[in-house]
Amino acid sequence: MQQLMQAMRQRVAAQEQSDFIRYLRDETIEPYRRLSSWFSCAAPFVFGFKDLNTFVFNYPEEQAQTDRFKRMINNHCLEDANHWPMYLQSLQALELDGKQKFSDTLTFLWGPQTQQQRYAAYRFAQLADRLQAPLQRYCLIETIELFASHLFGIVAQISSAYSAAGAAGAAGAAGAAGAPSPDYLSPIHAQKEPGILVNQQGGSLQQELMQTVLDDASRAAVMPALQEVCELIERRWQEFYDVSAR
């Protein structure tokens, strides 16, 4: 298990060379733009991820009561299913919560500029259904968490710079001191994305899980799924960059 997750960490580290991460780290671009230019496009995945944690990644409660690893995953899902209010708050904080026709909203959410966000959520559901064993599903969720931790660690730094500058350059409020911090992009959210499963009673169970040796059949099932997870997230991030670069 440790070797498998180390390979995933290396894949995450390689994202430093991706267009999107390089864009986020480009300090010649004002913080507001680096936070806001792609943020609306994340909506389908943010709410898809809410549903994945509510209906897909978790196990029936009767199973979790008798399996500590399933219970660990369920506890994590309870936390991750409830990050979406921070997203809504951040849309307002970044002044992206404008009024438009409902039909225009639907066209945007299911339009070509959010295609990779939607597709990733759908495929994650299919992969989770394939990986029924808790050790296998843990690998799936942990890989997603590693990518999330990396991204939110970066945007939290940008958010802090944005807030420190008094939100200068915000649409319609240039230089407005005291503008609200976008919680989803701030250290508040980053602290909830440590790159491991959260909402646990101590870390001993997760440490035990990491010491587990996957058998050949499990590795054969997990490795292609994790490679696809990486590719799906990379395509999501490329879509963010493509939208930002327009």
Side-chain angles (χ1 to χ4, degrees):
M1 183 76 76
Q2 287 185 342
Q3 287 183 330
L4 197 61
M5 288 300 102
Q6 181 58 30
M8 295 302 102
R9 291 187 188 94
Q10 291 173 354
R11 184 73 173 256
V12 171
Q15 301 313 305
E16 285 296 314
Q17 300 305 314
S18 69
D19 290 335
F20 182 53
I21 298 302
R22 293 172 66 181
Y23 170 79
L24 292 178
R25 292 201 183 277
D26 187 350
E27 295 184 358
T28 67
I29 303 171
E30 63 180 359
Y32 176 78
R33 176 165 176 76
R34 284 183 282 156
L35 294 175
S36 65
S37 58
W38 54 275
F39 192 61
S40 297
C41 292
F45 184 82
V46 170
F47 283 89
F49 198 64
K50 168 185 178 292
D51 284 346
L52 286 169
N53 282 284
T54 303
F55 303 115
V56 180
F57 289 164
N58 55 348
Y59 292 93
E61 190 57 36
E62 60 272 17
Q63 295 183 22
Q65 289 177 358
T66 59
D67 188 307
R68 54 186 179 156
F69 291 132
K70 290 181 179 180
R71 188 161 57 249
M72 180 181 74
I73 289 173
N74 281 14
N75 288 341
H76 172 81
C77 290
L78 282 173
E79 167 62 33
D80 254 18
N82 289 287
H83 291 185
W84 61 271
M86 291 186 289
Y87 181 80
L88 296 182
Q89 182 273 345
S90 298
L91 287 174
Q92 296 174 349
L94 294 172
E95 301 187 8
L96 298 173
D97 197 22
K99 293 182 179 180
Q100 64 180 16
K101 292 191 298 183
F102 185 51
S103 56
D104 290 339
T105 299
L106 292 175
T107 300
F108 170 76
L109 292 175
W110 275 272
Q113 65 270 51
T114 63
Q115 179 174 312
Q116 296 302 326
Q117 314 306 314
R118 304 192 310 272
Y119 184 67
Y122 304 149
R123 283 298 294 157
F124 284 174
Q126 293 173 316
L127 292 170
D129 184 64
R130 184 191 307 172
L131 302 176
Q132 287 288 330
L135 296 183
Q136 295 177 9
R137 191 169 294 181
Y138 168 85
C139 293
L140 170 70
I141 297 172
E142 175 69 2
T143 299
I144 297 171
E145 292 302 313
L146 289 171
F147 274 88
S149 180
H150 191 74
L151 175 60
F152 289 114
I154 294 170
V155 295
Q157 296 174 27
I158 304 170
S159 180
S160 295
Y162 167 72
S163 298
S181 171
D183 289 351
Y184 193 83
L185 298 168
S186 76
I188 294 173
H189 190 195
Q191 291 170 4
K192 296 177 182 290
E193 300 288 352
I196 58 175
L197 269 63
V198 296
N199 197 26
Q200 309 300 319
Q201 294 293 328
S204 60
L205 188 58
Q206 185 149 276
Q207 291 174 6
E208 178 184 339
L209 192 150
M210 287 299 295
Q211 297 297 326
T212 302
V213 177
L214 293 175
D215 59 35
D216 290 343
S218 293
R219 286 185 65 85
V222 165
M223 278 304 297
L226 298 192
Q227 292 294 338
E228 184 173 355
V229 167
C230 295
E231 292 167 3
L232 289 165
I233 296 174
E234 289 165 356
R235 290 202 291 268
R236 285 187 59 229
W237 291 7
Q238 183 63 42
E239 187 170 67
F240 286 155
Y241 173 76
D242 292 342
V243 169
S244 299
R246 290 174 185 169

